[in-house]
């Protein structure tokens, strides 16, 4: 038993007043003279016994009246937990993630928990401090409000693309409650469907707070959704068939047959496809289509289901280039035309060949691939222009000459975090290492190309590799563990390095079939491979390859949703990127967005909802309880629902007794009146 106002208990000393009055009246007596006292002796003795009993009963009524009144004013109650505090501070979490789109008994699950939470808030004390949290974890929700304010906030809650783990929510609720008042009865209420993917508390520990939960249950079990899309080849060309790969998940107990899947590219529909997906499994399929025009493309893959709808569409973007612009810089000492002749095979490769002595800054303008072939010295001005190419997302290939100026080369290589070169050594070994799994060769080989005649290396510069170098080796020797062709990411682009001149005296690599496959793919992937799509809640950075005027900033625009925001530009040591992290509260809808400064920078970015919410498998009722118990929250209770479907508020309200005590006090007053009026002496 606890008391709201325990200081009132001092009033128990008022019990002394009726006791003193009783004793005073008991000692008072009056002399009455009778002529014949003996006749009254028996009657007098009987009257004294009755009077004593009457006075004792009146005294007892008065004492009990005071006890009831004092105790009632102290407001006794039995708390539902071990807390003895009287001030209630409450935090309510409403799961508004997309899994709550599922249909329940009262419309969708979000509508159900909103109604239940409003019932809860109405039943709370008038002066209770209430905090409301949703999956968005908005800053405005990290404070306390009145009952009426919270009810209006609950009515405004809509679905959110955020997928927030339950332990993150409980951490925030605990922090807010612990920081609110030291002397308070703290309570947490959780309204959710308790998905397994986001509500596991097995590895979470926190000091327990009195908590109650309500689980909304979907009428439909399982979900069908598009998990991901991808291209095997990063190269997209006009009038060339392309294969879009996609994965569809069937998280139900029924096999799906003849499920329609539609593709739209810039509003054009290549044609629907029908697929079959086994129960509780997935299938990977492809749609083949051909683009007739170059430029930026926005795509949408869509399927039709009767389950959740947020994950039935998947958005992506890509670019089809009309051609790739190449600058081929050669030495005056060599007449090696293997690279030049390779790029003359197709008009897609727009190659300009010039010598190191004649190259100018204008030659670098608009070039996506720059190749230095058999160059002994790279002038400082030319090296600066080459670095700018990589800053803008392009690719640079360094092929040394046979008598390089080592200091000149190593200054340039060190600046770009590549291994430096030493003296030339006779090698005489095969290039038996080929990294065909590198993304450079995606879509090139149908199988394992390991059975090929190895290129030969006769002599090469010794590579001085340090721990600061971060590169990927493409060709090399397994026996010597020595790279021959490697590349490193530099700024937004790449820089390749070959350890020997491309000349028959040093190697026959330039005459090998893999030489053509490698240099054609280097040209095709010369520009930065922009992200196919981004995931809301896990936003990555977008490469920025253009100098942006602060007076003309980049905007992220989606007219359909009324979005127009300015993302943050990050200038790193080796690259520039566009960050969307501070726009999490703005990018709420999936789709394609324009990224532009209305001048020289125009891109399209696709955003998709996180597929974590697509796995709707939820904990059973007993599992939810065990989930809290395993985390150490053993007193967590499920909110009881009465026969009319309403929350049974007695499950979380303390049992109060002041009303009963007031009624008892009135009973004792009435009993005293009756004793005094009807018990005659």
């Amino acid at each position: 038993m606890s008391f709201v106002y325990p200081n009132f208990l001092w009033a128990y000393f008022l019990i002394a007043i009726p006791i003193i009055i009783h004793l005073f009246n008991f000692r008072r007596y009056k002399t009455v003279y009778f002529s014949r006292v003996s006749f009254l002796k028996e009657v007098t003795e009987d009257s004294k016994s009755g009077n004593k009993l009457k006075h004792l009963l009146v005294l007892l009524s008065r004492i009990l009246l005071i006890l009831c009144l004092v105790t009632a004013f102290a407001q006794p109650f039995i708390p539902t937990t071990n807390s003895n505090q009287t001030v209630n501070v409450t935090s309510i979490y409403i799961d508004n993630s997309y899994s709550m789109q599922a249909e329940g008994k009262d419309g969708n699950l979000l509508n159900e928990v909103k109604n239940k939470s409003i019932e809860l808030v109405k039943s709370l004390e008038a002066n209770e401090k209430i905090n409301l949290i949703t999956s968005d974890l908005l800053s405005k929700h990290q404070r306390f409000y009145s009952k009426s304010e919270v009810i209006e906030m609950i009515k405004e809650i809509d679905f959110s693309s955020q997928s927030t783990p339950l332990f993150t929510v409980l951490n925030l609720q605990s922090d807010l409650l612990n920081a609110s008042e030291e002397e308070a009865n703290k309570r947490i209420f959780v309204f959710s469907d308790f998905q397994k993917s986001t509500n596991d508390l097995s590895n979470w520990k926190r000091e327990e707070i009195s908590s109650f939960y309500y689980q909304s249950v979907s009428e439909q079990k399982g979900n069908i959704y598009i998990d991901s899309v991808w291209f095997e080849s990063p190269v997209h060309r006009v009038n060339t068939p392309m294969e879009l790969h996609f994965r569809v998940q069937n998280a139900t107990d029924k096999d799906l047959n003849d499920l329609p899947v539609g593709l739209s590219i810039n509003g054009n529909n290549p044609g629907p496809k029908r697929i079959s997906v086994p129960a509780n499994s997935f299938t990977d399929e492809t749609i083949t289509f051909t683009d007739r025009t170059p430029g930026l493309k926005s795509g949408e893959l869509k399927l039709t289901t009767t389950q959740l709808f947020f994950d039935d569409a998947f958005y992506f973007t890509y670019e089809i280039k009309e051609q790739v612009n190449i600058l081929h810089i050669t030495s005056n000492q060599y007449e090696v035309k293997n690279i030049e002749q390779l790029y003359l095979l197709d008009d897609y490769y727009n190659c300009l060949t010039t010598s190191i002595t004649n190259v100018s800054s204008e030659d670098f303008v608009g070039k996506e691939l720059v190749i230095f072939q058999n160059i002994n010295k790279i002038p400082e001005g030319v090296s600066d222009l080459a670095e700018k190419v990589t800053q803008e997302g392009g690719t640079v290939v360094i092929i040394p000459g046979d008598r390089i100026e080592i200091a000149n080369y190593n200054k340039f290589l060190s600046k770009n975090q590549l291994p430096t070169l030493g003296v030339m050594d006779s090698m005489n070994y095969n290039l038996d290492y080929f990294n065909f799994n590198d993304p450079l060769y995606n879509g090139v080989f149908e199988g394992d190309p390991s059975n090929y005649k190895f290129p030969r290396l006769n002599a090469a510069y010794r590579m001085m590799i340090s721990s600061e170098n971060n590169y990927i080796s493409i060709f090399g020797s397994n026996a010597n563990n020595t790279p021959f062709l490697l590349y490193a990411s530099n700024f937004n682009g790449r820089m390749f390095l070959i350890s020997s001149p491309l000349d028959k005296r040093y190697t026959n690599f330039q005459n090998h079939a893999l030489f053509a496959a490698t240099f054609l793919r280097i040209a095709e992937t010369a520009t930065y491979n922009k992200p196919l799509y981004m995931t809301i809640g896990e936003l990555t950075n977008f490469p920025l390859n253009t100098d942006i005027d602060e007076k003309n900033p980049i905007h992220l625009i989606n007219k359909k949703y009324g979005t127009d925001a300015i993302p943050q530009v990050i200038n790193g040591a080796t690259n520039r990127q566009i960050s969307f992290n501070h726009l999490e509260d703005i990018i709420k809808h999936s789709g394609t967005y324009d990224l532009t400064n209305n001048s020289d920078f125009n891109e399209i970015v696709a955003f998709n909802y996180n597929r974590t919410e697509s796995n709707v498998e939820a904990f059973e009722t007993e599992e939810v309880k065990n989930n809290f118990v395993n985390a150490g929250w053993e007193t967590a209770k499920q909110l009881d629902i009465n026969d009319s479907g309403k929350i049974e508020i007695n499950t979380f309200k303390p049992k109060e007794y002041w009303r009963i005590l007031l009624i008892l006090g009135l009973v004792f007053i009435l009993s005293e009146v009756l004793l005094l009026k009807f018990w005659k002496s």
Side-chain angles (χ1 to χ4, degrees), residues 17 54 121 180 245 328 359 402 424 429 451 483 512 569-570 589 597:
I17 295 175
K54 174 183 175 181
V121 174
S180 60
H245 297 253
H328 179 215
V359 68
D402 59 354
M424 182 176 287
Y429 56 72
N451 297 323
H512 198 277
V569 176
I570 300 176
H589 303 282
N597 65 350

Side-chain angles (χ1 to χ4, degrees), residues 505-605:
R505 293 174 295 173
Y506 304 99
T507 181
N508 66 347
F509 176 67
Q510 64 275 9
N511 299 321
H512 198 277
L514 290 178
F515 167 79
T518 300
F519 272 80
L520 288 176
R521 184 44 63 95
I522 288 175
E524 292 168 345
T525 62
T527 53
Y528 187 88
N529 190 18
K530 301 177 181 67
L532 194 64
Y533 60 86
M534 295 187 183
T535 302
I536 297 175
E538 300 176 357
L539 297 178
T540 55
N541 293 339
F542 192 89
L544 177 59
N545 305 327
T546 306
D547 291 328
I548 300 300
D549 187 352
E550 294 182 358
K551 297 180 181 179
N552 191 25
I554 295 173
H555 287 249
L556 182 70
I557 301 172
N558 185 298
K559 294 181 180 179
K560 178 181 178 180
Y561 302 118
T563 302
D564 189 345
I566 300 177
Q568 183 180 1
V569 176
I570 300 176
N571 293 307
T574 60
N575 59 12
R576 292 195 311 275
Q577 296 179 325
I578 300 173
S579 173
F580 305 104
N581 289 332
H582 66 297
L583 301 180
E584 291 281 6
D585 295 341
I586 296 176
I587 306 174
K588 296 182 178 180
H589 303 282
S590 65
T592 54
Y593 291 66
D594 293 325
L595 192 63
T596 177
N597 65 350
N598 294 316
S599 179
D600 55 349
F601 185 82
N602 296 282
E603 292 286 352
I604 304 176
V605 187

